[in-house]
Amino acid sequence: MKTLNLNAISLAIVSLFSATSIAATPPSDIEVIEITAKPFEVPVSSLPGTVQLISQDEIQAQAAVSADVSSLLANLVPSYSPETQMLSSTYQGFRGRKSIVMIDGIVVSNSLRETSRVLASISVENIARIEVIHGASAVYGNGESAGVINLVTHQASSQDIEFWSQVKFDGSIHDADSYGYQFNQRVSGTVDKFSYLGQLNWRDSGEIFDGNSDQIPSDPAGRGGLGELKDIDGLLKFTYQFNQDADLALNAHYRKLENELSFGRKTIFDNVVVVDPTKPFTGDAPYSENQYLQLEFNHQKLSNHKVNIELSVANSENTQANTVKVESDKFAFRFAAQPLSLPRAQDVFTYGIDYQIDETTQHSSRGICEICDVEQTNLAPFAEYQFNFDHFMVQVSARYENFDLDVPSYVATGRYGDAPFFGQQIDGGELSYNKTVFNVGAVYRFTDTEIYGSFSQGYGLGDLRRLRSINVNDVDNYRQALKPVEADNFELGLRGQIDAFSFDLSLYYTDAEHAQSYVDITDQVIYASLQQVDPRLTYDLSQTFNPDAIDALVTRDERTYGAEFSFAYSVSDTLDIGGTLSHSEGEYRHPTNGWIDLNHSRLSPFKATLYANIEFTDHLGANIQANHIGSRGAGDQVNLAIPQNGAFGTFEGYQYYGAGVEGYTTVDVSMYYHTDVGNFALGVKNLFDRVYLPTYAQQGSGSVYGQIDLPANPALDQIESLVRDFAFRDSYHAQGTTFTLSYNVTY
């Protein structure tokens, strides 16, 4: 097998994380590896931070065991949180923070109201490669997030016309009701100066089962599931090449996922959520619908500049099983340019401006508008200068973030906990925030390795769910409660390739002011409910677990830090091995208790992966991957007095998100066979049929609320049942052994 010839800065560890190439092809000699998340393609070595490029082979390997992008990232990206096995990527992120998600450079993340469905915006089969960039950059901007995930779609074939067809059959080994089907068709080509691509994907998945042969609810946590899923996805791309220097591209995409559920679900206390075959599902099926249109113009020599101009519109709708609906409409414009001549010819200077309008609305399960037509306008000029020397690169950049929010008048809903203005009209208003953020980084290149380091700043407003339980009677006075997150990110790393061994080691630290975290306010909900039963059961909000929480969100200073390590080694021409390690920690500043460990909604447990790619013959190969999720200790035990004087009893346990996480290890296997008339693949997920709860499903298990025992009283019995159900409602088993058999052919 030919090893990677990394010259100077091509140490991108390009498939360092080739954690699962089902058809691991020998990497070719590479001089420059480029990414496209920025307006212009740049070498990976010009990014002074951790960068990961996930290849088409790796994507196909993961698609053989899972059709979910978030699962793919969980398996391949070291610090990305373990998979949830839901349609939702709730509480998934990397390095304890959010990531911005792009499709071909279009931002599809919902910044005003996070729905956690953004990674379900496009099918895996449409994606040619994935670029994962940690840290901030003035050029692509990242708000207060930890970096960018750019999903790059397929390009048109250089032939006049070329077809690609794929069929899939998947299911559980436990029950025929799990069988699902998928058909994907692509046609593309290039005729003279015109290129085109069209792709249509259709999928119908069956029910899902755990390793005990028990059916798992198709939507286990009410956030969108992977069972009984109807999926339609269409992609169109057109490009006209005016000449060798200029082109115009038009891209359009549409995807709709819908859970056509058969049964309701029920909670078995002290256990897991299961289906209730006696209770057919009623109501509207939860769905996600995403679409965008992009127009992009590129010119390599316009007025002595390289120029990129982009216009895009995007729309998303997401509902849950309780019919909560979030709608978002976006319009974006970007202009970016690079002078072709500078005083130092080897340097690179990029400047431009981003303009985006985002309008978001959320309706509750009762049909009440909780966040009503909130419009955010963002205008952000940016500039970045890159100094290039023989063995050294320094990058300095700045971005002016400017957010204006227009909030119309609305009625406060008081969705969770204490809500002083419940049912009252809140006068609308405008909120404005701005800040200049600076980033600086450097890369020093040795013969076989390079060391990199960076300091980057992020600035963003975050989730607006706090508007639902606003604690003032007009928006103009809410500025102090809606403080933007200001994050300082530091990273130091070493990457390289020594003979057939490549590696990347990085250390990171983030110090954030006004960071948002989800916290436990169930005690507030309990006390407020008891007060409705009997006004004498009053409570002191300042004595609750999180007195500064608004709608289960707190704004607190925090710090997160950790380490990542990835490696790949070509043992022989027919065997590659590799793996990843990651660990993160973090604390937040409690208003009365000092620095406290962040809960499991933010931090991933220790994670390790190991893989082996084996080529038996020129046509037959296999991949084995093992994913280990470590245990994580519980937070401090708490005593919940009901009511606050303990007249009904005192219960001991953990806050929600604070219970311990029990580790687990799973093994996946995939095999491929290439023929002259197409390619066959077989993937087996959870090979040993392990029965376990994903880390997300363990967050509420063991919480104090599952132990509540109120006095016999019809009103109290109802409260007790609802609270105990809450404690276990997100506890569900992972899927047992599943298989995917596929065939694809290019013709």
Side-chain angles (χ1 to χ4, degrees), residues 6-8 11 391 444-450 497:
L6 295 175
N7 180 18
L11 303 175
H391 300 285
Y444 189 86
R445 309 173 194 110
F446 300 95
T447 303
D448 297 314
T449 61
E450 62 186 22
Q497 178 157 343

Side-chain angles (χ1 to χ4, degrees), residues 311-461:
L311 285 169
S312 66
V313 291
N315 167 266
S316 66
E317 291 185 13
N318 296 277
T319 67
Q320 297 182 7
N322 57 2
T323 67
V324 172
K325 182 178 181 180
V326 178
E327 300 174 76
S328 178
D329 292 292
K330 300 183 185 69
F331 166 80
F333 167 79
R334 159 170 286 193
F335 169 82
Q338 288 182 343
L340 295 178
S341 60
L342 294 170
R344 287 169 42 91
Q346 68 270 39
D347 294 346
V348 179
F349 176 52
T350 305
Y351 66 93
I353 190 167
D354 283 329
Y355 176 74
Q356 180 171 306
I357 299 174
D358 187 338
E359 184 174 306
T360 295
T361 298
Q362 174 170 318
H363 287 86
S364 74
S365 57
R366 295 167 290 173
I368 298 173
C369 186
E370 298 181 315
I371 298 174
C372 303
D373 299 320
V374 176
E375 184 176 278
Q376 174 180 278
T377 303
N378 176 217
L379 184 68
F382 59 85
E384 177 180 87
Y385 199 97
Q386 180 176 310
F387 298 89
N388 291 314
F389 304 93
D390 288 342
H391 300 285
F392 191 52
M393 183 278 292
V394 177
Q395 191 179 89
V396 180
S397 58
R399 183 182 182 92
Y400 179 69
E401 296 284 14
N402 181 46
F403 299 95
D404 291 315
L405 270 79
D406 182 8
V407 184
S409 298
Y410 67 102
V411 176
T413 61
R415 186 168 176 81
Y416 299 113
D418 184 71
F421 293 95
F422 171 76
Q424 298 184 33
Q425 177 167 306
I426 305 300
D427 294 333
E430 295 184 356
L431 301 169
S432 297
Y433 307 89
N434 57 77
K435 181 182 176 66
T436 301
V437 293
F438 299 94
N439 307 304
V440 60
V443 179
Y444 189 86
R445 309 173 194 110
F446 300 95
T447 303
D448 297 314
T449 61
E450 62 186 22
I451 188 170
Y452 58 88
S454 66
F455 164 74
S456 63
Q457 293 182 308
Y459 183 80
L461 189 57

